[in-house]
Amino acid sequence: MYVIYLRQLHEYLTSFRAQIGFAVVITFFLLSGVLSALRITQTQLDDAESQRNVAAKLASVETVQQGARTTLQARTSPTATECMSEGGLHWFWGTVSTTAESGRNMGFGQARSRNYWMGSFERLDWTFIVRLIFSFLCVVLAYDSISGEAERGTLRLMLTCPISRIRVAVAKYGAQLTVLGVLFTIGSMMSLVILMLMGSVQLSWTLVWKYFLYEAAVLVFLLQFLWFAIGI
């Protein structure tokens, strides 16, 4: 089984279609890192401007009554993981307006974007890459892993060895999962490096465990999708 596993790895690494897929994935991760860094920087600038506006508004208050009637706005804060999954930070309802006099919610609003038309487009985050690019790559790698061997006549030769069919399938499945997992790790690490170099993300234990939690979720997704792809 180990020999089949290594053979399948070698086949994927030397395959032209796989190399094209790898290049596409790395390119998307690099673009995701740059665009996420620019968005985070803009978000930080917008938050700083909002805080200055609040400070100026409070500084202009002269009486208690005027201060009680001043409309203030609370908004959600970034979690530094928007590069993994944007989660509606820029388009979902994320602001609440209120006054000290009323003590009630004066209305909800979008957190940082007033462009409702742009809200219908997806962000180029890691979830987008996994859901679209990796799903397609699963099919590209696995669609002929069994049928292709049968067409080339190598499957019958392989089964003459003292190894069960289940072990052959598991070896191929493991090779595909290894390639996709390593590819995601390399791409996501490159994206994080870009974010850290541009000062958009600070390395911390919270970010590390969120990254590993996200990677575990990605591996579960790939586990399920590869089964469907092999079945094709």
Side-chain angles (χ1 to χ4, degrees):
M1 186 173 71
Y2 184 67
V3 174
I4 298 175
Y5 172 80
L6 293 179
R7 175 179 172 274
Q8 194 69 48
L9 280 180
H10 180 267
E11 180 179 340
Y12 287 146
L13 295 178
T14 56
S15 172
F16 179 73
R17 65 183 182 186
Q19 293 173 0
I20 294 296
F22 300 161
V24 170
V25 169
I26 296 299
T27 301
F28 269 86
F29 269 113
L30 293 176
L31 286 175
S32 176
V34 173
L35 294 177
S36 296
L38 294 176
R39 283 198 300 267
I40 292 173
T41 301
Q42 186 60 46
T43 298
Q44 294 172 347
L45 294 176
D46 293 342
D47 288 346
E49 182 180 0
S50 177
Q51 292 176 2
R52 288 194 297 268
N53 292 336
V54 171
K57 184 182 295 187
L58 294 177
S60 64
V61 173
E62 297 179 353
T63 64
V64 176
Q65 184 179 11
Q66 184 180 0
R69 293 179 178 178
T70 301
T71 302
L72 299 177
Q73 193 178 71
R75 64 170 58 188
T76 56
S77 59
T79 61
T81 57
E82 285 77 24
C83 59
M84 302 180 189
S85 182
E86 194 268 340
L89 176 69
H90 291 268
W91 57 266
F92 198 67
W93 303 114
T95 62
V96 177
S97 300
T98 186
T99 62
E101 183 180 35
S102 65
R104 298 194 308 269
N105 174 21
M106 306 293 290
F108 292 97
Q110 285 187 326
R112 289 174 174 80
S113 177
R114 296 183 180 178
N115 192 331
Y116 297 95
W117 183 73
M118 288 299 294
S120 60
F121 291 90
E122 292 195 52
R123 302 279 178 170
L124 184 57
D125 52 14
W126 296 0
T127 300
F128 177 87
I129 297 174
V130 171
R131 185 162 49 85
L132 270 69
I133 309 302
F134 272 85
S135 298
F136 179 74
L137 194 57
C138 284
V139 177
V140 170
L141 292 180
Y143 80 96
D144 66 342
S145 59
I146 302 297
S147 60
E149 297 277 3
E151 292 177 359
R152 293 190 295 268
T154 55
L155 181 61
R156 182 175 299 179
L157 179 63
M158 189 184 306
L159 293 177
T160 58
C161 301
I163 185 173
S164 64
R165 298 183 179 184
I166 295 179
R167 290 191 173 186
V168 173
V170 169
K172 289 179 171 292
Y173 183 75
Q176 295 158 5
L177 186 62
T178 300
V179 170
L180 293 174
V182 171
L183 182 60
F184 173 80
T185 301
I186 294 175
S188 59
M189 286 295 182
M190 294 175 67
S191 183
L192 278 179
V193 168
I194 292 176
L195 288 166
M196 287 187 289
L197 289 177
M198 297 183 69
S200 302
V201 171
Q202 300 296 327
L203 185 62
S204 63
W205 285 111
T206 302
L207 181 63
V208 170
W209 78 260
K210 286 182 178 180
Y211 171 81
F212 283 112
L213 184 63
Y214 186 87
E215 186 167 13
V218 170
L219 291 178
V220 171
F221 173 81
L222 295 177
L223 280 169
Q224 298 176 354
F225 209 90
L226 274 175
W227 278 120
F228 296 115
I230 291 177
I232 296 177

